[in-house]
Amino acid sequence: MAAVEVSGLTVRYGQLVAVHDVSFSAAAGQITAVLGPNGAGKTSTIEVCEGYRRATAGTVRVLGLDPATQQRLLSERMGVMLQEGGVYPSARVLDTVRHYCALYGKGVDPAALVQQVGLADRRTATWRRLSGGEKQRVSLALALAAAPEVAFLDEPTSGVDVNGRDTIRGIVRALADGGCAVVLATHELDEAERLADRVVIFDKGVVIADGTLAELRRGHDEIRFRSSPQLDTIALANSIGMVASRVGSDEYVIDAPPHPRLMAQLTAWLAEQGHPLTDMRAGAQRLEDVFRRLTADKPAADDPEADR
Amino acid sequence: MSRFRSQLRTELQLVARNGEQLLLTVGIPVLLLVFFSLVDVLPTGTDDPVDFLAPGVLALAVMSTSMVSLGIATGFERSYHVLKRLGATPLGRGRLIAAKIAAVAVVEMVQFAILVPVASALGWSPGATNWPAAIGAVLLGTMAFAGIGLSFAGRVRGEINLAALNGIYLVLLLLGGMVIPFAKLPGAIRAVAHGLPSGALADVLRDTLGGGGAQPGTSWLVLAVWAVATPLIAAALFRWD
């Protein structure tokens, strides 16, 4: 049984349909990224899973519990990281973590937790004096204080510097490797690409894709390269037998598997024409490209705002 | 450490760290008590102003802590998503409210431990005192004022809540018989003042701590009604996020 099971979930705010007939699941020991632009419905969905919000229709089970009616039981086993805030501005880091460790009562050592998120030297600082990245680390520590079986993390690396991101990614990965079902809500595709085992993509209140990264990328290989802005794409297509599309001032894409013969033809043609080759990437599409492809031709009828 | 005790400890730590709350809950009552006891400008109608002022300032202290301090702090906690985050822990709504009430009680004990000796030093020597009844009145007053504070905290934005509670505090202070006797208020305003929780608490405390209440029977009734009604209103209006 999946740790998180969402089936036919709909959330309405008055006449606005924020989430429409959404279904997906998240397994223990995996990181499931819930992706989508702001207003896509991911936060409403996560808040129903956490027990903050009631579903208008559909069923949600987290660790086999109904968050709407069994939130107290669920809270003992669930870690939550809010997108922002959640801590008293005048509260100190170690005091706050110690408080949450006491609330969860799982025997987690608060000092070790502060050390783990890299804030040992900031343990006496108050929340209001922390940087955005440091606040995210404290929020993550509060989620870890639950020694959770399921964790809902909202934008965990938002505002965090590069080194801090690596620390947080390592902690989240270790959390999943320890058997926790991690549900990661983010609009940063790069973050999901680096961390997620499974991706659920939201757009305008509905799920438009659900699968592993490999599944979402399957059948969508490409060769992407940078060269001269004056490249004659028609001549190139005639030479290699494939259409090359200009996607930037000096960036081009060929929608084809990166076969060695095709790569050789491409580089040979560039050399013959005297064009430079400043960058080249071949293989599966980036998640960003997958997302663009999936959201590009979405029918207007799927737009829940149309229900207003 | 139990969840309740951990939450109570956190609440008390935050009160101690918030200088403006300490000013409101201790500084202003002490200042009013000392100033108007030494400078005889208020129409208290007593030989010694402190005999009138001491019970009124004790009522003011209860109002400061349980309505203004609790209400403002809780309102900002809601704005900062503190309540939302706590709502995802096993703490539970009951323990959270219990911890907040216990923290208010602790602060009120500290206030009384400071104000009563200060009043005594200024010459307050109440004749017949009924401390158990006074404590009962303080409990009812705490419930009534906490209900008002949490009604605002649970509904309006933090900044508006701050302004609204400070405004109500000023109105209840001036019309509540705490520093200005009911008898000095104009007739229509006097009738309203007797129906206010501040007026009722001040009158009951004046009656139980010296026997100078204007209409203690009615005031007990008024206080009890406020103590039941406002927590119910707060519970109905309160939002965690």
Side-chain angles (χ1 to χ4, degrees), chain A residues 35-37 40 187 189 201-203 208 285-296:
Chain A
L35 287 176
H187 63 268
L189 302 175
I201 300 180
F202 278 66
D203 190 35
I208 57 170
Q285 282 186 330
R286 293 173 304 177
L287 187 55
E288 185 179 328
D289 301 316
V290 172
F291 183 81
R292 283 208 182 96
R293 169 168 52 81
L294 289 168
T295 56

Side-chain angles (χ1 to χ4, degrees), chain B residues 27-50:
Chain B
I28 290 177
V30 169
L31 187 68
L32 287 174
L33 179 63
V34 172
F35 183 82
F36 288 116
S37 294
L38 298 177
V39 182
D40 191 5
V41 292
L42 290 175
T44 59
T46 53
D47 292 338
D48 193 342
V50 75

Side-chain angles (χ1 to χ4, degrees), chain B residues 50-51 54-55 116 119-120 123-131 205-206 208-211:
Chain B
V50 75
D51 290 334
V116 170
S120 298
W124 183 45
S125 53
T129 55
N130 184 351
W131 280 105
L205 283 181
R206 210 158 271 134
T208 53
L209 300 178

Side-chain angles (χ1 to χ4, degrees), chain B residues 5 25 27 49 71 73-74 109 158 161 174 215 238:
Chain B
R5 278 192 297 152
T25 54
T74 307
M109 283 191 275
N161 176 54
L174 294 176
Q215 47 178 43
F238 201 80

Side-chain angles (χ1 to χ4, degrees), chain A residues 190-211:
Chain A
D190 180 55
E191 193 61 39
E193 194 153 32
R194 287 167 184 268
L195 270 175
D197 299 302
R198 190 173 189 83
V199 173
V200 180
I201 300 180
F202 278 66
D203 190 35
K204 299 175 183 173
V206 298
V207 170
I208 57 170
D210 178 4

